[in-house]
Structures are given as structure tokens and as C-alpha cells.
Amino acid sequence: MIPKRIEDAFNEQIRHELESAYLYLAMAAYFDNGGFPGMGRWMRAQVQEELTHAMRFYKHIIERGGEVRLQPLNILAHKWDSPLKAFEAAYEHEKFITGKIHELVKLAQSEGDYASNSLLQWFVDEQVEEEESTLTVAQQLRLIGGDGRGLLMIDRELGQRTFVLPPELANLYAQGTGIAG
Ligand code: OFO
């Protein structure tokens, strides 16, 4: 059985992950509307990834006999002045999410909840990647400044990104299957 404090904190984290998805969808729209289809595609893949993050917590709560309670999202979306500003905002947001994951690790450890702690170790590693990927793009954009050719090159490169559903979550998305798997 999942401890109540962990159940509450994981429900809160589902909200944060869905807010991340919403933020990145807003960035995708900003890029797609602004003539940067590669960056738009990168952000759309990121939206999918954030949804799977939320679903990892969802699955864990259900599997341990807890209750998933969805909460209203704090809408984070707004406009950005440039691709650089958007990626800088994405990096700042990922640092915020890393802080939330670390708080959860401390809570799971203080509750002696080894199962949650194990789930959270995946997120600790994932956040290193999340920060690194947004920071790298921000650094590249900073380097090229306003150079149009450089921007187009980065856009083309980011357009290569594809989203792959992690096999351990496949059952959550397949029709007619249970939660386990
Ligand atoms: Fe869920 O890692 Fe980004 O926000």
C-alpha cells in the first residue's frame, strides 16, 4: 500500500508533469506558428515524453492501491521573444522539476518507502537528461545569435527528434489491457 503522504505528493507531481506537457505544447505552437517546424517537432515529442512521465506516477499509485486524483493545472503557457528565450525558459522549468523530484526522493526516504524511492531514481537520472538537452539547445542558440542560417540549421537538426513509447508503459496505451506491465 502506498503511504498517504507519498500518494498526495505523487498526485501533485502528476500535475507538474502535465503542466510541463502544457508548457511544451505552447512552445511547440510558438515554433510551428513562427516558421520553425523542426523546433516545433522537438517540442511535440517533448509533450509526449512529459505525458509518459505523468503516467509513470499514475501507474505507480494505482498499482499500490492508491487513488489518482487529478488537479487543475496552473497554466504556465505564455509567449516568448525568440527561440533562445523559449529554450532558456524550458531549461529553467526543468531545473524547477528537478527540485521537485529531489524533494520527492527525500520524502520517500523519510517514509521508508523503498518502492517509491526506486521509481524516483529513474526520474533523478531522467532529469539530468532533461536539463542537459534543453541547456544544450539554449547554448547553441546563444552561440549563433540572430544568424538566420544558423537558426535554420538548428531547426533542421531538432526536427530529427522522434518520440518512442517506453516498452514498460506500452500496456497503459494498448486497448483492453490491464494496468500491469
Ligand atoms: Fe518531466 O521532465 Fe521535463 O518537465
Side-chain angles (χ1 to χ4, degrees), residues 28 38 44 67 72 79 87 132 135:
R44 280 181 272 113
E67 187 189 356
K79 299 255 180 216
F87 272 94
E132 196 250 340
L135 177 63

Side-chain angles (χ1 to χ4, degrees), residues 1-2 7 10-11 14 55-69 172 178-180:
M1 189 78 192
I2 191 165
E7 181 193 293
F10 278 12
N11 271 306
I14 290 176
M55 293 310 284
R56 283 178 191 271
F57 286 106
Y58 176 108
K59 184 172 181 281
H60 184 88
I61 293 171
I62 302 268
E63 283 175 349
R64 297 187 65 208
E67 187 189 356
V68 169
R69 291 181 305 275
L172 282 176
I179 191 90

Side-chain angles (χ1 to χ4, degrees), residues 64-153:
R64 297 187 65 208
E67 187 189 356
V68 169
R69 291 181 305 275
L70 298 181
Q71 306 166 7
L73 302 187
N74 284 334
I75 301 305
L76 302 167
H78 50 91
K79 299 255 180 216
W80 299 272
D81 290 339
S82 66
L84 172 60
K85 292 279 180 221
F87 272 94
E88 281 177 342
Y91 175 53
E92 287 307 314
H93 181 69
E94 287 307 327
K95 287 197 288 185
F96 166 76
I97 295 293
T98 299
K100 291 288 166 199
I101 296 294
H102 292 179
E103 282 172 21
L104 291 174
V105 171
K106 279 186 214 146
L107 180 64
Q109 290 177 353
S110 73
E111 293 278 318
D113 184 352
Y114 303 115
S116 292
N117 190 52
S118 171
L119 171 78
L120 288 165
Q121 292 314 305
W122 183 91
F123 278 95
V124 169
D125 295 340
E126 176 68 8
Q127 280 311 119
V128 175
E129 272 181 43
E130 292 281 86
E131 285 190 24
E132 196 250 340
S133 61
T134 46
L135 177 63
T136 301
V137 180
Q139 285 171 330
Q140 290 173 348
L141 288 169
R142 208 170 296 131
L143 216 70
I144 61 159
D147 177 61
R149 251 189 317 174
L151 267 176
L152 288 180
M153 264 177 57

Side-chain angles (χ1 to χ4, degrees), residues 16-17 20 24 46 49-50 53 93-94 97 123 126-127 130:
H16 288 309
E17 300 294 346
S20 298
Y24 295 136
Q46 188 63 25
E49 205 169 295
E50 296 299 349
H53 292 173
H93 181 69
E94 287 307 327
I97 295 293
F123 278 95
E126 176 68 8
Q127 280 311 119
E130 292 281 86

